[in-house]
Amino acid sequence: MELLPVTDADDRRLDDYRALTDTALRSLFEPSGGLYIAESTKVIARAVAAGHRPRSLLVQERRVDDIREIVGDLDVPVYVVPDEIAEAVTGFAVHRGTIASMHRPELPSVHDVIDGASLVLILENIGDHTNVGAAFRAAAGLGADAVLVSPGGADPLYRRSVRVSMGTVFQVPWTRITDWESAIADLHAAGFDIAALALRDDAVTLDAYAADRPSRVALVMGSEGDGLSREAMDGADTVVTIPMSGGVDSLNVASAAAVALWSMKA
C-alpha cells in the first residue's frame, strides 16, 4: 500500500468520500462493478478476505498500523488524514478511524448462489438498510447458506447495511434477483421448498414446519410495511407463521428472520 498524507479537505483524491452518495456511486460506475463504502478495520478486513478490492482508503493517523495489517500487500492508495479533515470530508465523526472505497464485485446468478445450499434466506422489498444488515448478520450466525435480495430491496453494500451486518454481507454468498419467475424456477429446479413467512389463516406454524422441514428450504421475508407481495406469495409452496402472544401480531423483519433461521437448525 502507498501512504499519502493529505491535509487539505478539498483534495480531489478524497472525492469518493465526499462528493457522491452511495446510490450515485453505484449508478455512476455500474454495470462494471461500481463502488461501495466500507467503514472500520473489521469490516474492511472481511471485505478484503472475501476478495473485494479497495479503490482507496481514508485513514486517520491513529489507525495506520491497523490498516497496514489488512492491506499492506495491496497496491492501493491510503490517504492519511488528521481527525478534523476526515470529519470535514465525510460530514460526520469517523469514530472507527478508517473508511474504504471498494470496487463493487459483479454479482453471481441465482443458480450459482443456491448451488449446494440447503437453507436460503430471501429478502423481498425490504427497504430499511438497518434491517437488511441485521438480516445478513442473522443469516451468517444462524446457518443460512445464501441470501437472495429482490429487485426492489435495499442495497446490502450500502454502508449502513454493511456496518450493521458487522461485515457479514461479505461472508454469506448472495445475489440480487432480477426476475421473480426465473428465481422461483431456479429454486424449484434445485429442490427447494419455498416457505413464505406471512400471516394467513391457512399458514403452518413455524414449529410444525421445522419439525418436518424439507431438506432444502428457502425462507421468504417480506417488507416492513406491506409484507410479501402477491407475486412472492403465489410462488411459495408453504405459508409459515410465527405464533405470537401479548397482542403482538408480528416481529421486526430481521428478528423474524433470526427466529425462522434458528428454528431450521433446532
Side-chain angles (χ1 to χ4, degrees):
M1 69 181 193
E2 184 181 9
L3 294 177
L4 301 169
V6 177
T7 56
D8 182 0
D10 293 325
D11 193 308
R12 294 297 302 274
R13 292 174 296 176
L14 306 183
D15 280 354
D16 280 2
Y17 307 96
R18 167 186 50 242
L20 298 173
T21 65
D22 289 332
T23 299
L25 281 168
R26 186 170 69 253
S27 62
L28 179 64
F29 291 94
E30 295 283 19
S32 59
L35 299 176
Y36 68 91
I37 300 299
E39 298 175 61
S40 85
T41 54
K42 179 180 290 186
V43 167
I44 295 167
R46 285 185 170 170
V48 170
H52 294 210
R53 295 183 300 111
R55 170 182 163 97
S56 68
L57 290 95
L58 178 71
V59 180
Q60 290 169 282
E61 294 166 336
R62 57 192 167 85
R63 294 294 189 184
V64 169
D65 288 341
D66 295 338
I67 207 65
R68 195 190 307 273
E69 297 179 7
I70 299 170
V71 300
D73 295 331
L74 300 180
D75 182 15
V76 56
V78 177
Y79 303 120
V80 183
V81 299
D83 292 5
E84 61 273 14
I85 297 297
E87 184 169 351
V89 169
T90 63
F92 59 90
V94 186
H95 297 298
R96 293 177 175 85
T98 307
I99 304 178
S101 173
M102 306 290 296
H103 291 285
R104 183 179 289 264
E106 185 173 344
L107 291 176
S109 67
V110 170
H111 177 274
D112 288 345
V113 167
I114 67 174
D115 184 36
S118 62
L119 181 59
V120 172
L121 180 65
I122 303 177
L123 306 178
E124 196 219 8
N125 294 337
I126 296 177
D128 186 277
H129 292 95
T130 297
N131 283 337
V132 169
F136 264 86
R137 189 171 181 180
L142 296 171
D145 301 302
V147 177
L148 303 180
V149 180
S150 74
D155 181 17
L157 294 183
Y158 182 76
R159 63 188 182 89
R160 181 178 293 277
S161 301
V162 173
R163 185 169 66 248
V164 171
S165 80
M166 295 297 291
T168 55
V169 293
F170 311 120
Q171 182 176 330
V172 183
W174 73 276
T175 196
R176 189 176 288 277
I177 295 169
T178 55
D179 176 72
W180 262 112
E181 187 175 345
S182 297
I184 290 169
D186 283 340
L187 288 161
H188 281 152
F192 278 90
D193 187 80
I194 302 175
L197 273 289
L199 299 173
R200 207 165 74 176
D201 291 341
D202 62 346
V204 178
T205 61
L206 179 60
D207 53 345
Y209 182 76
D212 190 29
R213 60 157 285 184
S215 59
R216 307 188 84 180
V217 174
L219 299 169
V220 191
M221 315 300 301
S223 65
E224 297 88 342
D226 298 329
L228 290 170
S229 68
R230 175 52 53 190
E231 189 175 22
M233 292 292 289
D234 288 346
D237 302 297
T238 312
V239 178
V240 178
T241 190
I242 299 173
M244 306 293 294
S245 61
V248 178
D249 64 359
S250 64
L251 297 172
N252 166 276
V253 64
S255 299
V259 170
L261 289 168
W262 181 86
S263 74
M264 293 298 103
K265 294 179 61 178

